[in-house]
Amino acid sequence: MYTLPKIERFNQDVLSKYHIYNSVFITLPFDSIDNTGVLLPLFTDVCESGFKKQENPKEIVNSFTEKYLTSATEEEKIDIMFRFIQYIERQIVLFDAIEDAAFPAINNMEGRGTLRDIKEKANAKEKDEELVEFFENFNVRTVLTAHPTQFYPGAVLGIINDLIDAIRTNDLLEIKRLLAQLGKTPFIQAEKPNPYDEAVSLIWFLENVFYETSGEIVQYLQKNIFHNNPIQNQIIKLGFWPGGDRDGNPFVTTEITLKVAERLRTSILKCYYVEIRKLKRKLTFSGVDGLVAELEHKLYRSVFYSRGEMYITLDEFKERLNAIRTIIIDKHQSLYLDELESLQVKVNLFGFHFATLDIRQNSRVHNAVFKDIVTYYLKSESDMFPSNYYDLSEDEKIEIVAKVTGNLDSADFENEITKSTIESIQIIKTIQENNGEQGANRYIISNNESALNVMETFAMIRLNNWEAPTVDIIPLFESIEDLQKAHLVMEQLYTNPEYAIHLASRGNKQTIMLGFSDGTKDGGYLMANWSIYKAKQTLTEMSRKYEVDVVFFDGRGGPPARGGGKTHKFYASLGPTIENNEIQITVQGQTISSNFGTLDSCRFNLENLLSAGVTNQVFNKSKNELSPDEKDILEELAELGYSKYLSFKNHPKFIPYLEKMSTLKYYSKTNIGSRPTKRSKSDQLDFADLRAIPFVGSWSQLKQNVPGFFGVGSALKHFETTGQWDKVTELYHNSLFFKTLLENSAMSLAKSFLPLTAYMKEDPEFGEFWQIISDEFSETERLLLKIAGHTTLMENYPDGKASIDIRERIVLPLLTIQQYALLRINELNKAEVVDSELVKVYEKIVTRSLFGNTNASRNSA
């Protein structure tokens, strides 16, 4: 049967349906005024024609109100803007739901990058045994993290899922009812969520998506690649940050961490209980029914009556399931064996922990905490630390802290951060006792700069009466400078006798985290990506030298500027000089719902990550290795891009532009995330303390997406003007790493819209600065098209480009309203008498517009 091209499938299953259902949606009255849906398309047309005529947002809004709202007062204009925002937010949800419903129709669920494709390729290339060996040792770990873009309240998430189901069956009556419900359901949460609320929101995805999908994937491998032999390796692992990530988040407390861990345990037990209930209806035969009923009873009590008490252990649960399996095979002709093995696979994957709760803290906080601890021991006249400890060299300090042990009591300290840091280590033990070791066995050190940072953390853990800790200490290298020296830091650790003993107890495995987000903020797009690539090579070489198995954990955000985009292609492009036995990535904010929000998208994206590992290690073992000449070209490109980005970042108007012309300060005014937008409490904006999320998000709200392209055009232009264009063209066609890097940058450009802010070029303070952005954008676009041989951005991803185009059209009125509000705020603040109440109203418009703009992009922050 002939299959339509992806773009035609997109037009048929997404675009046409959106036009039909949106026409229904905009005619639904949601309040006493029912003309909003009629006026919104007219406003969209005015926005489009206005920007083509180079009008600014204020002129566009005024033109619309003069034409369609005769003699409207400012209050009436504000009212219609708020109502437009409400409609557009829901149009975005409608488009998301249609796209999610069409996911299996647009994406070939059995095609390239899927498990079936892997199996058939291995069979054709006679690599079946290699494939089995690969899956015996390979893991994918997706780590869910919350931040201020995961903002839908539970009621809206429920409507979205019902809407997806109704769209799949083309149930127009149900769709109309759900759209009406959507129109009347508040999108904004009444109160700012705390980390526990965020955790509960994300656990929904674990229960409803990852649980089923992960089990299906592993069971497929077990049946089709392992020929029904149980897989001992835990191929898919889940990680979790809400409630454990303390870096710059004062709202994460000891109580919340324990509550989240308990919720994770009860959630997985509830999943098992539901599945056991289903099995009970099938396993009704002699010798089995009693065992199933017993399991059901114990799980029920553990979930609903436990108050923390467990009525069954993990070992007992597994042993009972194995006993049932044996009886089914021996006495009942393997009846319903598949269903039982489905549960066994999940129990092996998720244990009683569901997802590993990572604990994270910043090295700067650790420095202060450790100083507090040393001072405490010195005052107590202990000989743990010498009196001249603070005067010692780093090597001398490491020698001392490597050997310390003790039994700290958080009550002995007055400083709240010291107390909570000590407690965060102590509760790892508690969580392990309740959920198993995988419940919490990773401690991540953000902004790790030295071996001493790691050894101080190691010492703090052992000072909590834990001489042989069952915890992996994970340094996170973020800045360009730290990435460049990371291998030397790790050599200091590998050669430290005490740390070497600790590593040996952990299977000689060392996890190292690398931060794309802060790397890009620090050094620009090209330098950050190339620095991480080089760091992985040098860290691999150093780890192999000391016979340590290194695992890289990538701190990726949603957009290309934060390591997102076509992520699986990066992993497929890694050569043999980079260790790749595990793929570990953070999945953040709206990227969770866009990439892993449905059973189909979750399966597709998890299979693509598994496929990336197979491609790199089984099918293309040596093909992806960069030659010395290719490395030299990438090095030069990165240096050129870095130089351009640094001059831009050091421009005197860089920080003022973000403060005065972007939405940066409005992130902190929203009630959508528990984490502050910067790590320090200072009123003054310090670039070093600014979090990557609001930094990248602010550029996205301006539709400039600077972190995803700035410096790329200048770097490529150098090769063009010096007669070396053939070098970068050849590299583009030969290196999947470089090609993916540029394709993701092209995505950043495709999601930009400079006419929105073109009025800024006339601004007396920021006109020159805006022009710098515009010029670099134009050069980057020109040269990305030239190197790819394309006439339009993302030409080789027509369905992806079509999705972006329709999303950008939906959100254009929202962007225009946001810019109009920012212009009015600046005008009002310059008046002789400032109308502070009116300023607050316009600030609310800016804040409200953040949500829809962010969600429309699906990977904008």
Side-chain angles (χ1 to χ4, degrees):
M1 182 178 173
Y2 173 69
T3 303
L4 292 171
K6 275 185 96 171
I7 184 61
E8 290 187 35
R9 282 177 272 154
F10 177 86
N11 290 335
Q12 178 179 290
D13 293 299
V14 178
L15 194 56
S16 62
K17 284 189 178 181
Y18 174 72
H19 289 315
I20 292 166
Y21 297 143
N22 186 51
S23 65
V24 174
F25 174 69
I26 61 175
T27 60
L28 296 172
F30 299 127
D31 49 39
S32 56
I33 305 168
D34 60 2
N35 66 340
T36 309
V38 176
L39 289 172
L40 182 55
L42 299 172
F43 182 51
T44 302
D45 291 340
V46 170
C47 290
E48 287 183 331
S49 61
F51 286 119
K52 284 176 184 174
K53 292 185 284 187
Q54 299 184 337
E55 293 176 352
N56 66 43
K58 187 179 177 186
E59 290 169 334
I60 290 168
V61 171
N62 289 338
S63 171
F64 170 77
T65 54
E66 286 168 15
K67 188 172 182 180
Y68 297 106
L69 302 174
T70 311
S71 305
T73 64
E74 184 154 26
E75 186 178 341
E76 288 171 332
K77 286 164 71 173
I78 288 168
D79 180 61
I80 194 69
M81 283 190 279
F82 271 119
R83 286 192 280 122
F84 280 165
I85 290 170
Q86 290 174 317
Y87 260 76
I88 294 164
E89 284 174 338
R90 286 154 178 82
Q91 282 181 313
I92 293 160
V93 167
L94 173 61
F95 188 77
D96 282 350
I98 292 169
E99 203 164 41
D100 286 343
F103 191 93
I106 295 170
N107 299 280
N108 187 349
M109 302 298 287
E110 304 293 339
R112 183 183 298 176
T114 65
L115 292 181
R116 180 172 177 174
D117 177 55
I118 291 169
K119 179 180 178 294
E120 289 175 355
K121 272 185 186 171
N123 190 257
K125 296 184 178 186
E126 297 183 347
K127 289 181 177 283
D128 293 30
E129 288 185 14
E130 278 187 64
L131 190 61
V132 169
E133 186 183 348
F134 169 81
F135 279 120
E136 284 174 341
N137 298 286
F138 185 77
N139 305 107
V140 165
R141 183 190 293 255
T142 51
V143 181
L144 306 191
T145 76
H147 69 61
T149 59
Q150 189 64 37
F151 67 89
Y152 287 141
V156 174
L157 285 172
I159 296 169
I160 291 169
N161 278 276
D162 291 343
L163 193 54
I164 291 170
D165 290 340
I167 289 166
R168 278 188 175 150
T169 57
N170 290 313
D171 187 343
L172 187 57
L173 181 62
E174 182 63 11
I175 290 167
K176 191 171 181 178
R177 281 197 301 220
L178 287 165
L179 290 175
Q181 183 187 354
L182 192 68
K184 292 179 176 293
T185 303
F187 267 44
I188 308 305
Q189 304 185 77
E191 295 180 6
K192 198 180 187 83
N194 62 40
Y196 180 72
D197 299 325
E198 291 172 332
V200 170
S201 175
L202 291 191
I203 287 171
W204 185 94
F205 291 97
L206 296 182
E207 292 176 342
N208 292 281
V209 184
F210 282 93
Y211 176 77
E212 198 64 44
T213 306
S214 303
E216 285 179 358
I217 287 173
V218 174
Q219 193 169 18
Y220 177 92
L221 292 171
Q222 197 164 282
K223 285 175 117 178
N224 296 282
I225 292 173
F226 283 74
H227 308 294
N228 288 318
N229 293 313
I231 302 174
Q232 303 305 317
N233 178 35
Q234 193 180 352
I235 292 172
I236 296 173
K237 299 178 180 179
L238 301 178
F240 208 73
W241 274 18
D245 181 11
R246 295 165 178 262
D247 179 17
N249 193 341
F251 307 111
V252 176
T253 62
T254 303
E255 181 188 7
I256 280 180
T257 304
L258 287 170
K259 273 182 72 179
V260 171
E262 185 177 346
R263 181 61 180 256
L264 285 166
R265 186 182 71 251
T266 56
S267 291
I268 190 59
L269 290 175
K270 186 167 67 176
C271 289
Y272 296 153
Y273 170 72
V274 170
E275 200 151 351
I276 279 286
R277 289 271 296 172
K278 291 176 184 175
L279 276 170
K280 188 182 177 186
R281 292 174 65 94
K282 296 177 179 179
L283 302 180
T284 54
F285 21 91
S286 175
V288 172
D289 53 347
L291 291 174
V292 175
E294 181 191 359
L295 285 179
E296 180 203 16
H297 178 65
K298 289 186 174 183
L299 286 170
Y300 182 82
R301 292 190 71 189
S302 298
V303 173
F304 299 106
Y305 287 100
S306 69
R307 294 184 182 176
E309 189 178 348
M310 293 293 292
Y311 294 90
I312 187 170
T313 66
L314 180 59
D315 287 341
E316 182 187 355
F317 190 25
K318 287 182 176 181
E319 184 262 318
R320 290 287 194 279
L321 290 175
N322 280 327
I324 294 168
R325 183 177 186 274
T326 300
I327 296 170
I328 288 174
I329 293 170
D330 291 347
K331 297 183 179 180
H332 300 289
Q333 296 78 48
S334 298
L335 191 58
Y336 295 123
L337 182 62
D338 276 358
E339 287 86 342
L340 177 70
E341 287 183 342
S342 173
L343 176 57
Q344 287 185 295
V345 163
K346 290 163 189 163
V347 173
N348 287 334
L349 286 177
F350 307 125
F352 280 2
H353 64 283
F354 213 161
T356 299
L357 185 60
D358 290 345
I359 308 297
R360 184 171 78 131
Q361 186 54 280
N362 198 291
S363 66
R364 295 170 190 171
V365 172
H366 281 175
N367 290 341
V369 169
F370 201 73
K371 188 174 182 180
D372 215 3
I373 291 170
V374 172
T375 302
Y376 164 79
Y377 278 112
L378 290 176
K379 283 182 178 177
S380 63
E381 297 183 359
S382 163
D383 60 357
M384 186 88 70
F385 297 93
S387 58
N388 67 335
Y389 177 80
Y390 296 119
D391 300 321
L392 300 177
S393 67
E394 181 179 318
D395 287 343
E396 290 170 327
K397 286 178 179 175
I398 287 174
E399 191 176 340
I400 291 166
V401 300
K403 296 173 182 174
V404 297
T405 56
N407 192 5
L408 288 172
D409 185 345
S410 61
D412 291 334
F413 296 87
E414 293 181 7
N415 187 292
E416 284 303 317
I417 293 179
T418 303
K419 282 176 178 284
S420 66
T421 303
I422 291 170
E423 287 170 2
S424 73
I425 293 167
Q426 292 170 345
I427 59 176
I428 294 175
K429 279 185 180 179
T430 306
I431 294 168
Q432 289 191 5
E433 287 168 7
N434 295 334
N435 296 16
E437 190 201 301
Q438 289 190 70
N441 63 355
R442 289 151 52 100
Y443 196 111
I444 300 161
I445 311 161
S446 316
N447 192 43
N448 196 95
E449 298 175 329
S450 66
L452 183 60
N453 289 156
V454 175
M455 294 307 295
E456 284 179 344
T457 306
F458 180 57
M460 283 193 287
I461 292 171
R462 302 217 304 173
L463 284 167
N464 275 276
N465 194 27
W466 209 354
E467 286 192 38
T470 49
V471 180
D472 296 322
I473 302 166
I474 304 174
L476 165 52
F477 299 102
E478 300 180 81
S479 72
I480 302 301
E481 183 184 351
D482 291 339
L483 286 165
Q484 289 169 347
K485 65 179 183 181
H487 62 294
L488 300 175
V489 169
M490 296 314 299
E491 184 171 36
Q492 279 183 275
L493 295 170
Y494 294 156
T495 54
N496 181 277
E498 294 294 329
Y499 193 76
I501 291 169
H502 170 68
L503 273 185
S505 74
R506 304 299 294 160
N508 256 15
K509 181 184 285 188
Q510 173 67 57
T511 303
I512 299 171
M513 191 172 179
L514 304 165
F516 281 80
S517 304
D518 284 282
T520 305
K521 182 168 78 83
D522 183 44
Y525 182 72
L526 285 176
M527 180 56 87
N529 280 276
W530 180 233
S531 294
I532 287 170
Y533 189 93
K534 287 194 301 179
K536 284 186 175 182
Q537 285 190 316
T538 54
L539 286 165
T540 297
E541 184 182 0
M542 189 63 73
S543 300
R544 287 173 179 173
K545 177 182 174 182
Y546 291 99
E547 298 182 339
V548 173
D549 295 324
V550 68
V551 175
F552 295 115
F553 177 19
D554 291 329
R556 294 179 179 272
R562 300 187 58 230
K566 304 287 182 185
T567 308
H568 62 280
K569 284 195 170 185
F570 274 111
Y571 293 110
S573 72
L574 301 177
T577 58
I578 293 176
E579 208 71 80
N580 196 31
N581 282 336
E582 292 190 29
I583 291 176
Q584 297 192 9
I585 55 170
T586 54
V587 189
Q588 305 189 350
Q590 80 274 37
T591 311
I592 296 170
S593 46
S594 62
N595 287 0
F596 300 93
T598 67
L599 293 171
D600 290 319
S601 62
C602 184
R603 178 189 147 196
F604 186 82
N605 284 295
L606 282 177
E607 287 191 15
N608 266 264
L609 288 173
L610 289 168
S611 172
V614 174
T615 301
N616 184 54
Q617 293 194 43
V618 179
F619 299 143
N620 295 340
K621 261 185 180 174
S622 58
K623 286 183 182 177
N624 292 319
E625 189 167 3
L626 293 166
S627 70
D629 287 345
E630 288 173 332
K631 288 178 182 177
D632 289 343
I633 295 166
L634 278 163
E635 184 70 36
E636 190 172 359
L637 283 165
E639 288 292 345
L640 289 163
Y642 185 47
S643 176
K644 181 70 176 179
Y645 180 76
L646 277 188
S647 67
F648 177 66
K649 192 174 78 170
N650 294 330
H651 193 287
K653 294 301 177 186
F654 186 88
I655 295 295
Y657 182 81
L658 282 174
E659 284 185 304
K660 296 180 183 179
M661 307 302 280
S662 83
T663 58
L664 181 65
K665 65 183 177 183
Y666 294 94
Y667 276 87
S668 61
K669 296 177 187 291
T670 64
N671 67 337
I672 55 180
S674 70
R675 183 184 298 183
T677 56
K678 53 194 180 74
R679 288 179 170 93
S680 73
K681 295 181 180 178
S682 168
D683 291 334
Q684 191 170 350
L685 181 60
D686 181 349
F687 184 77
D689 282 328
L690 181 61
R691 288 191 174 278
I693 295 158
F695 174 73
V696 173
S698 296
W699 291 111
S700 175
Q701 295 284 326
L702 287 167
K703 302 310 287 182
Q704 292 173 352
N705 289 329
V706 161
F709 75 84
F710 202 91
V712 175
S714 293
L716 291 173
K717 188 178 181 181
H718 171 80
F719 278 79
E720 182 188 49
T721 55
T722 56
Q724 303 178 78
W725 184 250
D726 60 319
K727 289 184 179 180
V728 288
T729 305
E730 193 175 336
L731 180 64
Y732 177 83
H733 290 295
N734 290 344
S735 168
L736 182 60
F737 168 75
F738 185 55
K739 186 177 185 179
T740 305
L741 199 63
L742 295 193
E743 284 184 346
N744 281 342
S745 188
M747 185 194 293
S748 292
L749 295 182
K751 292 186 175 185
S752 300
F753 184 63
L754 265 63
L756 177 73
T757 55
Y759 70 90
M760 294 181 186
K761 65 184 173 187
E762 307 299 333
D763 188 275
E765 184 179 358
F766 297 109
E768 179 199 341
F769 187 79
W770 184 91
Q771 195 60 52
I772 292 170
I773 297 168
S774 179
D775 291 345
E776 184 65 16
F777 180 94
S778 299
E779 276 300 87
T780 305
E781 182 179 34
R782 179 180 72 83
L783 292 167
L784 287 181
L785 291 175
K786 181 178 178 180
I787 200 169
H790 294 164
T791 54
T792 57
L793 293 167
M794 295 182 67
E795 194 174 296
N796 53 334
Y797 298 105
D799 57 312
K801 181 64 165 61
S803 176
I804 289 170
D805 288 345
I806 190 66
R807 287 175 181 280
E808 294 302 317
R809 189 172 195 273
I810 292 169
V811 88
L812 184 61
L814 202 57
L815 294 162
T816 309
I817 288 167
Q818 185 184 85
Q819 285 298 315
Y820 174 81
L822 289 168
L823 284 165
R824 285 292 289 130
I825 290 166
N826 286 337
E827 282 179 354
L828 291 166
N829 283 331
K830 288 174 184 175
E832 287 187 22
V833 179
V834 177
D835 187 339
S836 57
E837 289 305 310
L838 192 54
V839 168
K840 285 179 185 176
V841 172
Y842 280 111
E843 286 182 338
K844 188 178 178 182
I845 287 176
V846 174
T847 305
R848 280 296 308 277
S849 63
L850 280 173
F851 308 156
N853 288 341
T854 300
N855 216 51
S857 295
R858 292 209 121 178
N859 68 350
S860 61

